[in-house]
């Protein structure tokens, strides 16, 4: 079925300048569930032009007017949450429970966080008695989002950009475009002025590259692979536009001997969530040697007990990987781990029993993993856990930091001083300790090759602002 809604440009649904269709595959069945159109240069130019034309008026709107529209958007989002859950489940394989509670829930959570932040965000701040610091919208923003947590990332980019007065062009992932199309419909229903929010479907080499290099785009906000992030940075360098990147990860979950008895099992569940397709997944489990054998046994039991099934079904199971390409990549890395001598404790290559169609992967646990192995180094992006022992605190920190990534690390210990000490030493933008989740509006982002910039709450609003110093200001 061909989707009747193609691109959302200047407040209206429009057809592509030149037909270039792409089938969207249901990863649970490997069947076509929708057909969309991919944009070309003319479509990109039209969307950027609409955003540029709308910027002057939108950037000067009253803060209260923008908050009112965002509140309406929040109401539309929540009213149509089930539509969004079904779109995400269909396009990228999130099971029903996960799609509703976490995939759609992430969007409403962040939207609420931005509304709270906007209530106290000051666009004009006193620096001295005669000098003001102004926070002004940066301009036209290109928002390029991934397939694995569609609403989490679209909301983290589009909402703060709109909130501070930017205009934008969204390019959702061509693998999971249905949720992006639906979000555009939400924005339209909420009544945002024409040109403030625009959406063009396309792939990275096409619309993604066009937006990154476009001279009328002032900022690119991208979430995806580190490889793509580097290409975007190079493309954007010609015009020196701001680039905000949220990239890959290879999180370490440090489990000390005195950690809670459920720490290992919780770590496995967290690693396998969303079928392991999360940049902040704790995929390297580092266990203090005195507890290592027990941890391997517990992790193996949890992996063997993890149910895999279709996204259309209710329950706490994990769904398929998103695509054939992702399936092949994960299978290849599992094979590589076996060849390199890691001890396969659960799972392995191939699909789970009774699932002979769909991009399903066996929940896999490797023990005795060493730093020279590819499964230790690479972001696998599948339900694959690597376990290794450490001897002491210094060794744990060394292993945790032994990666080009630096997004999220995890620490489990009953010793509060040790927990705080290790949290200061690990090189990552986020550190989750003892299973305590992050607060609404917390800064999301990484160190090193996990990217730059921060998303969420007050930090996300500032990300889309220029800072202007004005002297001689008197009231």
């Amino acid at each position: 079925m061909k989707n009747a809604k193609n691109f959302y440009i200047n407040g209206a649904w429009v057809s592509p300048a030149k037909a270039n269709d792409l089938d969207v595959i249901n990863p649970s069945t490997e069947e076509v569930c929708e057909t969309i159109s991919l944009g070309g240069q003319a479509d990109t130019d039209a969307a950027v032009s609409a955003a540029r034309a709308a910027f002057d008026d939108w950037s000067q709107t009253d803060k209260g007017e923008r908050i009112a529209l965002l509140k309406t958007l929040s109401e539309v989002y929540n009213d149509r949450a089930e539509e969004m859950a079904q779109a995400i489940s269909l396009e990228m394989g999130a099971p029903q429970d996960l799609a509703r509670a976490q995939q759609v829930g992430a969007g409403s959570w962040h939207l609420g966080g931005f509304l709270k932040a906007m209530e106290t965000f000051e666009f004009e701040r006193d620096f001295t008695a005669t000098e003001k610091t102004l926070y002004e919208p940066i301009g036209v923003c290109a928002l390029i989002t991934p397939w694995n947590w569609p609403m989490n990332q679209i909301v983290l980019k589009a909402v703060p950009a709109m909130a501070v007065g930017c205009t934008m062009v969204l390019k959702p992932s061509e693998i999971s475009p249905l949720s992006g199309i639906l979000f555009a419909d939400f924005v339209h229903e909420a009544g945002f002025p024409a040109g403030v929010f625009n959406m063009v479907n396309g792939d990275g080499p096409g619309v993604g590259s066009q937006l990154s290099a476009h001279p009328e785009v002032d900022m690119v906000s991208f979430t995806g692979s580190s490889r793509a992030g580097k290409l975007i940075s190079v493309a954007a360098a010609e015009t020196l536009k701001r680039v905000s990147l949220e990239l890959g990860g290879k999180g370490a979950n440090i489990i000390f001997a005195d950690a809670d008895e459920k720490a290992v099992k919780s770590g496995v569940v967290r690693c396998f969530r969303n079928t392991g397709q999360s940049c902040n997944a704790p995929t390297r489990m580092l266990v203090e040697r005195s507890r290592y054998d027990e941890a391997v046994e517990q992790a193996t039991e949890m992996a063997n007990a993890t149910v895999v099934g279709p996204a259309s079904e209710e329950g706490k199971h994990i769904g398929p990987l998103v695509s054939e390409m992702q399936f092949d990549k994960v299978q290849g890395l599992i094979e590589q781990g076996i060849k390199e001598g890691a001890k396969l404790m659960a799972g392995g290559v191939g699909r789970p029993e009774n699932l002979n169609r769909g991009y399903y992967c066996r929940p896999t646990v490797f023990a005795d993993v060493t730093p020279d192995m590819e499964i230790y180094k690479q972001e696998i992006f599948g339900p694959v856990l690597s376990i290794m022992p450490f001897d002491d605190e210094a060794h744990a920190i060394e292993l945790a930091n032994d990666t080009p990534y630096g997004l999220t690390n995890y620490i489990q210990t009953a010793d509060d001083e040790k927990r705080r000490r290790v949290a200061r030493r690990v090189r990552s933008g986020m550190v989750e300790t003892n299973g305590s989740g992050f607060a609404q509006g917390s800064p999301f982002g990484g160190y090193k090759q996990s990217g730059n910039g921060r998303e969420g709450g007050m930090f996300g609003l500032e990300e889309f602002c220029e800072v202007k110093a004005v002297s001689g200001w008197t009231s």
Side-chain angles (χ1 to χ4, degrees), residues 291-327:
R291 192 169 166 176
Y292 180 71
D293 290 341
E294 176 191 51
V296 170
E297 183 179 337
Q298 290 175 333
T300 302
E301 290 176 0
M302 283 297 296
N304 289 331
T306 300
V307 178
V308 183
S312 58
E313 295 181 359
E314 310 278 346
K316 302 298 182 183
H317 60 287
I318 65 173
L321 294 166
V322 75
S323 66
E324 182 179 13
M325 180 181 295
Q326 190 64 23
F327 178 83

Side-chain angles (χ1 to χ4, degrees), residues 229-302:
K230 294 172 185 176
L231 294 173
I232 286 171
S233 298
V234 171
E238 183 65 27
T239 51
L240 292 176
K241 56 175 58 71
R242 183 184 300 178
V243 178
S244 178
L245 302 172
E246 197 278 286
L247 308 174
K250 192 69 179 176
N253 188 5
I254 303 172
I255 300 178
F256 287 96
D258 62 353
D260 184 274
E261 61 180 10
K262 297 180 181 178
V264 172
K265 293 181 179 180
S266 297
V268 176
V269 171
R270 184 68 180 80
C271 177
F272 291 169
R273 182 187 300 171
N274 205 39
T275 318
Q277 299 170 125
S278 300
C279 52
N280 58 354
T283 54
R284 293 182 300 147
M285 184 176 284
L286 314 180
V287 186
E288 194 161 3
R289 196 173 295 277
S290 63
R291 192 169 166 176
Y292 180 71
D293 290 341
E294 176 191 51
V296 170
E297 183 179 337
Q298 290 175 333
T300 302
E301 290 176 0
M302 283 297 296

Side-chain angles (χ1 to χ4, degrees), residues 48 95 122 259 308 365 368 382 391 439:
V48 173
E122 296 181 4
V308 183
V365 172
D368 300 350
D391 297 314

